[in-house]
Amino acid sequence: MRWDGISEFVYVAEYESFTRAAKELGVSTAQVSRQISALEKRLNIKLLYRTTRKVSLSEEGRVFYQHCRSVLDGLDAAEQAVSNLQSKPQGRIKLTAPVTYGEQQLLPLINDFMLQYRDIEVTAFLSNQKIDLVEGGYDLAIRIGKLNDSTMMAKKLSRRTNFVCAAPTYLDKYGIPHTLDELSQHNCLLGTRDYWHFIETAKGANEEVNKERNLRVAGTVQYNSGHSLVDAALKGLGVVQLPDYYVQKHLASGALVSFLDDYREPDEGIWAVYPHNRHLSPKIRLLVDYLAKRLA
């Protein structure tokens, strides 16, 4: 635990910003804030002064920063020395990922990775269920969306966009919905849930506020297969909401048309997640960096 929060504290001290530190570390701003708060509580010292406009070091924080910076510099040098000894990364990597994203995006990249690093072995288990990494002995997981598990570390690899779309033949016959309420007049092609995610802008006391809305929809089709939903949409059966990796090529070709874009929720993060108390070995770090570069 003595290492927890040190990197986060040093980055915030150097960039004078929680947001910038989170971006450089490849984690969420909330995670940086939690780690530093826990560090201050453990030390029983106020390290940083926070205002809405500025982050600055306390007197104790300045002293602590100088020592932490030296320690991290030494750790970087030690890791580099060990990595140089292991010129050929080797060993087994065990990971898990969502089924469709794993099949379409992740595993092809891992195959390319293994062509470069022949001494690495990979075991991948694709599941849409949230798996306990520690209990299952996994080195890392690829997860999509909001991260709620504070016991895990995370690095952002990419992001995904959800689109609402339909085939031109369907829209020519039934028209294009221009508001969320108009979806009740359309045949919505459902996945495992009977509601879709949107963002609506509402007027607050002094400003406009974006609010999440889970809109219940209905239709004649419900599949637990994104590929089957795409096929149904392409054949003009109805309207569908799916991530970009299902529909992007069909949107580009004109086979599907996107609409209600003003109500689209913000892009969801795609993360490499690993146990908080497990230091990344060179082979795991190599894979995470490889994926981040190619998925960005």
Side-chain angles (χ1 to χ4, degrees):
M1 287 184 61
R2 297 185 67 185
W3 285 99
D4 293 352
I6 298 298
S7 294
E8 291 86 348
F9 165 68
V10 168
Y11 274 68
V12 170
E14 292 178 345
Y15 290 108
E16 298 182 344
S17 166
F18 279 72
T19 302
R20 178 72 186 280
K23 182 178 180 181
E24 294 295 325
L25 287 166
V27 300
S28 68
T29 304
Q31 181 170 306
V32 170
S33 180
R34 284 195 301 270
Q35 288 293 95
I36 292 179
S37 294
L39 177 63
E40 290 178 323
K41 183 177 180 181
R42 190 168 76 247
L43 296 174
N44 195 27
I45 293 174
K46 188 71 173 177
L47 297 172
L48 297 166
Y49 295 120
R50 308 165 177 84
T51 68
T52 56
R53 296 184 177 180
K54 188 178 180 181
V55 177
S56 59
L57 288 167
S58 67
E59 182 177 353
E60 294 86 351
R62 284 193 292 272
V63 174
F64 193 61
Y65 164 76
Q66 295 296 332
H67 288 278
C68 289
R69 180 71 270 177
S70 297
V71 170
L72 289 183
D73 288 342
L75 180 60
D76 287 341
E79 288 183 349
Q80 186 61 48
V82 172
S83 296
N84 290 340
L85 290 176
Q86 189 181 8
S87 58
K88 288 186 177 181
Q90 56 187 306
R92 180 171 295 277
I93 299 173
K94 185 178 181 182
L95 62 90
T96 181
V99 177
T100 301
Y101 188 80
E103 289 178 340
Q104 292 193 5
Q105 306 292 320
L106 185 68
L107 294 187
L109 288 178
I110 290 179
N111 292 337
D112 293 338
F113 174 81
M114 294 182 68
L115 287 174
Q116 294 187 34
Y117 303 99
R118 297 284 188 170
D119 294 327
I120 289 181
E121 303 174 13
V122 176
T123 297
F125 178 69
L126 302 184
S127 172
N128 293 330
Q129 302 299 316
K130 187 176 180 181
I131 295 175
D132 188 315
L133 301 190
V134 175
E135 183 177 334
Y138 287 89
D139 295 298
L140 76 154
I142 306 302
R143 290 182 177 162
I144 300 173
K146 296 179 181 178
L147 300 179
N148 299 316
D149 193 342
S150 61
T151 65
M152 296 289 158
M153 296 291 288
K155 178 180 177 63
K156 192 172 185 179
L157 301 177
S158 186
R159 60 187 182 182
R160 76 171 184 182
T161 304
N162 285 319
F163 289 92
V164 177
C165 52
T169 53
Y170 176 89
L171 297 175
D172 289 343
K173 186 174 182 180
Y174 297 102
I176 298 177
H178 296 289
T179 67
L180 298 186
D181 291 337
E182 290 180 40
L183 284 174
S184 63
Q185 304 168 25
H186 289 266
N187 191 43
C188 296
L189 310 175
L190 304 180
T192 56
R193 299 176 299 199
D194 62 354
Y195 60 89
W196 290 349
H197 295 295
F198 294 99
I199 290 291
E200 278 191 309
T201 301
K203 290 186 177 181
N206 300 311
E207 59 182 356
E208 291 186 339
V209 180
N210 290 329
K211 293 185 177 181
E212 294 182 5
R213 180 177 176 184
N214 293 331
L215 180 67
R216 195 169 297 278
V217 293
T220 58
V221 165
Q222 185 165 16
Y223 300 147
N224 68 341
S225 165
H227 293 295
S228 298
L229 289 172
V230 170
D231 184 70
L234 288 169
K235 292 175 179 176
L237 289 180
V239 177
V240 72
Q241 185 185 59
L242 284 171
D244 47 15
Y245 46 83
Y246 282 106
V247 300
Q248 193 72 62
K249 66 179 181 180
H250 302 301
L251 294 174
S253 70
L256 292 175
V257 177
S258 173
F259 46 89
L260 296 176
D261 294 345
D262 291 342
Y263 298 95
R264 184 184 300 150
E265 63 181 343
D267 290 352
E268 297 177 301
I270 299 174
W271 308 83
V273 177
Y274 51 92
H276 188 276
N277 60 354
R278 185 176 298 173
H279 177 67
L280 283 184
S281 65
K283 65 178 182 290
I284 304 299
R285 186 179 299 279
L286 190 67
L287 175 59
V288 170
D289 290 345
Y290 181 91
L291 293 175
K293 182 177 180 180
R294 282 154 182 80
L295 291 170

